[in-house]
Amino acid sequence: MPREREHNRYSTQNKIFTLTDAPFGPDEVTLVTGYYDLLHSGHVGFLEECKQIGDPLTVGVRAKAKSGKPGRPIVPDDARLRVVAGLACVDHAFLDEHGYSKVLLDTLQPKTIILSSGEAASAEKTAEIIFLRTQYPDLNITELPRHTDEISTSQIVEWIHNPEDVSEKEIIRTEEIEGALIDYAQQSNAAMKSAAFIIGEGGVVLAKGVNYHPEFSGTVIYFNTATLEYKESKPRPMHAEFDAMLKLEDKGIDAASPHTLHCLHMPCAGCAEVISRKGFKKVVYYNGFDNNYGELILRRNNIELINGNSSEKTT
């Protein structure tokens, strides 16, 4: 008879536990929870980084009953739990029916909790953060950015409903954006070439803009509000940010959604005013200007402003 193989203690099923039979003691694990619906590369990358922060890594897969989104998660609780437990970076997994509550924390007593950042916090998440920081002030809490340049569950759902649109979508990774802006700016007919991209969830490029001079050789008449006089001049160039925003508007996409405006250069004051009025929450620039009022306007309107070359927020 063939020798019976010893069951691998790291098999998927052996990683799964319930709160009543946790296979570890107090202060032994790093804990992170989430829904992990339609598990994708963004989830995997995030959990792999969690593993680097704390080992062993315990993952709580949130039960559907905890979700406030209609119809979500799509995948049943047990199936999501088994898929997460199957990841090499996950040491333990359980179905989280409590969220970050006294029941959960007093039972598992983790040494570290990892929270995802870089997303609009739901009411549930905000309440949990307040609870953790007030009720467990000595607990080590680490915030780790989501992989926003990866595909998202919402994007997968959209593609399932609109499969004909998949081939038309351009997806770009964060580290590729500056080079793509420089390449796209070569289409400009202006002396100083610039470009701007509006990028949505999952790194989907929603609109592109380039600065250019209108193909018009004559002059235009405009009213100067400072001198209260009519003036004659050549047409002013279209700025890349404004060009991108117009194209986004033509597509019927709301700028107030969680999209990011990436600009090769810091927006000027005029563009900054429009960016603020359109409802953008984040602007990433790769080259700055001295004495630029655009930066002051963006900061005044509480827009998150990031230097793409240094990842430093200036808000």
Side-chain angles (χ1 to χ4, degrees), residues 44-306:
V44 175
F46 176 77
L47 291 175
E48 286 177 340
E49 290 190 20
C50 290
K51 175 74 168 182
Q52 294 175 9
I53 293 174
D55 187 10
L57 178 65
T58 296
V59 180
V61 177
R62 291 277 176 105
K64 184 173 184 176
K66 292 291 295 178
S67 174
K69 294 182 179 180
R72 299 283 293 274
I74 297 169
V75 180
D77 292 348
D78 290 345
R80 287 183 292 114
L81 176 59
R82 186 169 177 80
V83 170
V84 168
L87 296 176
C89 60
V90 175
D91 297 287
H92 312 290
F94 67 98
L95 184 63
D96 178 14
E97 300 177 286
H98 302 280
Y100 287 125
S101 63
K102 186 173 178 60
V103 172
L104 178 65
L105 296 180
D106 288 354
T107 301
L108 298 185
Q109 299 182 44
K111 62 180 179 182
T112 300
I113 284 182
I114 300 177
L115 302 175
S116 63
S117 62
E119 60 182 316
S122 64
E124 175 192 9
K125 181 176 179 180
T126 301
E128 288 182 339
I129 292 174
I130 294 174
F131 169 77
L132 288 172
R133 297 197 182 280
T134 55
Q135 300 299 315
Y136 296 86
D138 297 328
L139 181 63
N140 181 23
I141 300 175
T142 300
E143 292 197 37
L144 186 64
R146 291 176 61 203
H147 283 222
T148 53
D149 57 337
E150 300 279 1
I151 195 64
S152 69
T153 298
S154 297
Q155 195 68 57
I156 294 173
V157 172
E158 180 184 343
W159 285 358
I160 291 172
H161 289 307
N162 301 286
E164 68 279 2
D165 294 340
V166 175
S167 60
E168 300 176 4
K169 294 183 182 296
E170 178 183 355
I171 298 177
I172 190 168
R173 298 181 65 86
T174 301
E175 61 269 22
E176 300 170 344
I177 295 175
E178 183 179 12
L181 284 168
I182 293 172
D183 291 342
Y184 194 75
Q186 301 312 306
Q187 300 181 28
S188 170
N189 63 4
M192 189 186 77
K193 302 179 184 300
S194 189
F197 293 169
I198 298 173
I199 300 178
E201 192 175 29
V204 177
V205 180
L206 301 172
K208 294 181 177 181
V210 66
N211 64 327
Y212 64 92
H213 288 283
E215 296 180 357
F216 177 64
S217 58
T219 59
V220 295
I221 304 296
Y222 72 97
F223 185 71
N224 189 317
T225 56
T227 62
L228 302 181
E229 296 176 328
Y230 285 97
K231 297 285 186 178
E232 182 177 4
S233 73
K234 292 184 177 181
R236 299 186 66 179
M238 171 74 77
H239 287 194
E241 300 86 349
F242 201 80
D243 186 32
M245 288 186 286
L246 285 177
K247 291 175 179 175
L248 188 74
E249 189 173 296
D250 287 343
K251 293 181 178 181
I253 301 176
D254 184 8
S257 299
H259 309 318
T260 301
L261 178 61
H262 289 259
C263 312
L264 193 55
H265 299 92
M266 174 75 75
C268 70
C271 287
E273 287 284 6
V274 178
I275 291 168
S276 302
R277 289 199 296 269
K278 287 289 185 181
F280 283 93
K281 300 296 188 295
K282 181 187 294 186
V283 172
V284 180
Y285 69 96
Y286 297 87
N287 296 280
F289 294 115
D290 293 332
N291 302 319
N292 186 0
Y293 288 107
E295 178 179 350
L296 298 178
I297 293 170
L298 294 174
R299 294 177 64 182
R300 182 188 66 197
N301 287 282
N302 298 316
I303 293 176
E304 184 178 359
L305 190 59
I306 298 176

